[in-house]
Amino acid sequence: RKEVEQDPGPFNVPEGATVAFNCTYSNSASQSFFWYRQDCRKEPKLLMSVYSSGNEDGRFTAQLNRASQYISLLIRDSKLSDSATYLCVVNPQTGANNLFFGTGTRLTVIP
Amino acid sequence: ETGVTQSPTHLIKTRGQQVTLRCSSQSGHNTVSWYQQALGQGPQFIFQYYREEENGRGNFPPRFSGLQFPNYSSELNVNALELDDSALYLCASSHGGRGWDTEAFFGQGTRLTVV
């Protein structure tokens, strides 16, 4: 089983739509959770960290459900510039301090 | 710009050859991690260096090796290249080493093609 699993999409949505991405992780002891954004042929960039209490940054809301080992990202009022691949990322902090990435969910916002 | 630079940006090598990729970490960062990203996949952890010592390794064979220098820049070496090594190689710089205490900043990557 993969450490992090997410629906690869693609998600094609019209401008202004609300879209939600989900992912699950396998290691129940995982400590830190993130969403990264990766534009085509570019490096991943941190979009936001994910906390158990949920957190919001403008049009973006992230949620963590530790009991279900489930992470979500909600994007409201989609913009053309939101088109990218969104990577669900988990740091198990088992000593190696590495990040486990999902395969990414590709989003295209259509005019 | 993240301040993390990788070189070269693109590289074409022949199967069986050796390659060295380089990464300059962001100022003030002492930890460098290397990732391999195959087409259509998420990055996969290769290894991490913290203060010049290996601090964890992913599921990659020994022909993937690395080095970190006193200025915290790093190299990734791959021997006996195989076609499946074709990928984007990403370097991530952070400060800490005992937990993901600070945000990891990625370089733009080196796109390696093995023919």
Side-chain angles (χ1 to χ4, degrees), chain B residues 34-97:
Chain B
W34 286 92
Y35 291 81
Q36 180 196 66
Q37 186 174 23
L39 199 61
Q41 300 296 315
Q44 300 294 310
F45 176 69
I46 303 175
F47 42 58
Q48 182 184 83
Y49 280 85
Y50 169 63
R51 294 187 174 180
E52 302 179 60
E53 292 191 359
E54 189 176 289
N55 186 44
R57 188 180 181 93
N59 190 25
F60 280 80
R63 58 189 186 83
F64 285 78
S65 62
L67 199 59
Q68 187 177 34
F69 300 98
N71 66 355
Y72 302 129
S73 65
S74 178
E75 284 183 356
L76 163 65
N77 298 291
V78 187
N79 294 322
L81 283 167
E82 300 176 1
L83 297 179
D84 284 350
D85 296 333
S86 296
L88 179 67
Y89 288 84
L90 293 159
C91 160
S93 163
S94 61
H95 185 79

Side-chain angles (χ1 to χ4, degrees), chain A residues 2 32 34 36 38 41-46 87 91 93 95-104, chain B residues 2 35 37 40-45 48 55-56 88 90 97-100 103-104 106-108 111:
Chain A
K2 289 185 179 179
S32 307
F34 311 92
Y36 274 71
Q38 187 171 27
R41 305 186 77 81
K42 299 282 190 179
E43 73 275 19
K45 293 183 179 177
L46 179 66
L87 296 157
N91 178 7
Q93 291 195 353
N97 306 316
N98 54 288
L99 298 178
F100 285 108
F101 286 78
T103 54
Chain B
T2 65
Y35 291 81
Q37 186 174 23
Q41 300 296 315
Q44 300 294 310
F45 176 69
Q48 182 184 83
N55 186 44
L88 179 67
L90 293 159
R98 292 188 178 86
W100 211 266
E103 178 182 346
F106 284 85
Q108 82 283 9
R111 190 164 297 279

Side-chain angles (χ1 to χ4, degrees), chain A residues 12-26:
Chain A
N12 299 315
V13 302
E15 265 187 295
T18 295
V19 61
F21 305 137
N22 306 310
C23 91
T24 58
Y25 60 95
S26 61

Side-chain angles (χ1 to χ4, degrees), chain A residues 57-68:
Chain A
D57 183 2
R59 299 180 293 107
F60 299 83
T61 301
Q63 293 276 356
L64 167 65
N65 184 322
R66 285 189 181 271
S68 302

